[in-house]
Amino acid sequence: SKLKLLHALFEGRHGLVNPQAAEGSGLEDCCAIEINPEGFRKRVLELFSTPVTAKMLSDRKATLDSLYDNEKNVLLLTQWIY
């Protein structure tokens, strides 16, 4: 689910998902996306040995903060309602 993806990205390191998990979330650039089991297997091995850099985390944080900032989203919802 997208909620699990969000949790993994906020708390985790690498994110590996299928296209349906990332579709429409705006998080495609934050995840590794694979379609089939063989692709997943290869990518897991690759990501396991790939360090997560400060830049990767910074870029991910910027994306997550722009899309999932509770205060900003409350203001938007309030504007739509009133």
Side-chain angles (χ1 to χ4, degrees):
S1 77
K2 290 197 181 10
L3 186 57
K4 288 180 184 178
L5 173 58
L6 280 173
H7 177 70
L9 292 174
F10 271 106
E11 300 296 329
R13 295 296 193 197
H14 295 292
L16 177 58
V17 298
N18 62 25
Q20 295 81 13
E23 183 179 7
S25 67
L27 301 172
E28 295 83 359
D29 292 339
C30 297
C31 306
I33 301 173
E34 288 296 337
I35 297 171
N36 58 49
E38 182 61 21
F40 267 84
R41 187 188 72 75
K42 287 180 180 178
R43 188 62 75 98
V44 164
L45 294 173
E46 175 187 317
L47 293 173
F48 187 73
S49 62
T50 303
V52 177
T53 65
K55 171 132 174 59
M56 291 166 75
L57 292 174
S58 173
D59 291 348
R60 181 187 297 177
K61 183 175 177 359
T63 299
L64 290 169
D65 286 348
S66 72
L67 294 172
Y68 298 99
D69 180 317
N70 288 338
E71 290 182 20
K72 181 179 91 176
N73 289 333
V74 165
L75 289 174
L76 285 172
L77 286 170
T78 304
Q79 290 173 356
W80 292 341
I81 293 170
Y82 300 107

